[in-house]
Amino acid sequence: MSGVRGGTDAETAGRTVEEILDRLAAAGDRAACEAAEELVRSLMEFYGAGFARVLDLLGRDPDRPVGEAREALLGDELVASLLVLHGLHPDDVPTRVTRALNAVPHSVESAGFDPATGELRLRLTESGGCGCGGTREAVEQAARDVLACFAPEVTAVVLEADAEREPVLLQIGAGPPAPSGPSGRPPATTAP
């Protein structure tokens, strides 16, 4: 039985992996053999987590329309990263970038993507007027983290400078200064 797009079936793939591991063991390099086995285990865990996520997302509401189930799969970071990794993700790069930016915890939008350099320019869509909106670096890092799953074609993220200045965060003291005595110093206190 063949897999998707004429791929290898599971039995053949399993035999191939075993043969490669056996060749490494026969070569006598114990460290290389152990590293290869660890790599295989890590990949199996990665793909196992992806399949578990697919089943979880599809099983949450088995009666949901196919379009909603598809969107749930394509919007999941782990599933999307596996689809992108194998060239199976049905969305084009701009659509995947938009999907990723919707998952960023800051209100940002694309100001342009250069496929030649991999640079994505972003701009904030809302002001962090309370002074707690995060630093430029935090916004860029949050975008990079999500884009790594949905659009690995993006290799650099730059947050454009705001056209308007952000409001300044004013520091407010704890209270009015203490009353002072006739000499300008605080009055002396006496011990009880």
Side-chain angles (χ1 to χ4, degrees):
M1 164 187 261
S2 286
V4 176
R5 296 187 183 183
T8 307
D9 65 49
E11 185 178 343
T12 303
R15 266 192 252 136
T16 302
V17 169
E18 286 297 323
E19 289 170 7
I20 292 169
L21 291 174
D22 288 345
R23 283 197 318 255
L24 281 169
D29 187 344
R30 184 175 173 93
C33 187
E34 289 174 359
E37 288 176 359
E38 183 179 352
L39 175 63
V40 169
R41 276 192 301 278
S42 294
L43 287 171
M44 295 295 292
E45 289 173 9
F46 178 56
Y47 283 98
F51 286 128
R53 185 74 55 85
V54 167
L55 292 174
D56 179 53
L57 290 169
L58 293 176
R60 286 182 186 169
D61 183 5
D63 297 326
R64 90 168 79 174
V66 172
E68 287 180 21
R70 179 181 185 273
E71 282 304 305
L73 293 172
L74 297 180
D76 182 83
E77 288 184 19
L78 178 59
V79 174
S81 68
L82 285 167
L83 293 172
V84 168
L85 179 66
H86 293 285
L88 299 173
H89 202 293
D91 293 341
D92 60 7
V93 174
T95 304
R96 288 186 282 118
V97 166
T98 299
R99 189 183 295 274
L101 295 180
N102 289 337
V104 173
H106 307 278
S107 297
V108 294
E109 66 183 3
S110 173
F113 173 63
D114 182 353
T117 63
E119 181 178 279
L120 176 66
R121 291 181 328 280
L122 300 177
R123 71 176 143 254
L124 291 170
T125 57
E126 292 180 7
S127 171
C130 67
C132 54
T135 65
R136 296 179 64 77
E137 293 81 16
V139 173
E140 289 173 349
Q141 187 60 50
R144 275 193 294 274
D145 291 346
V146 175
L147 287 159
C149 297
F150 288 100
E153 298 87 348
V154 176
T155 57
V157 175
V158 177
L159 184 62
E160 291 185 342
D162 296 335
E164 300 176 15
R165 283 188 53 165
E166 287 285 324
V168 177
L169 177 63
L170 299 176
Q171 297 293 326
I172 301 173
S180 59
S183 66
R185 289 184 282 188
T189 57
T190 58

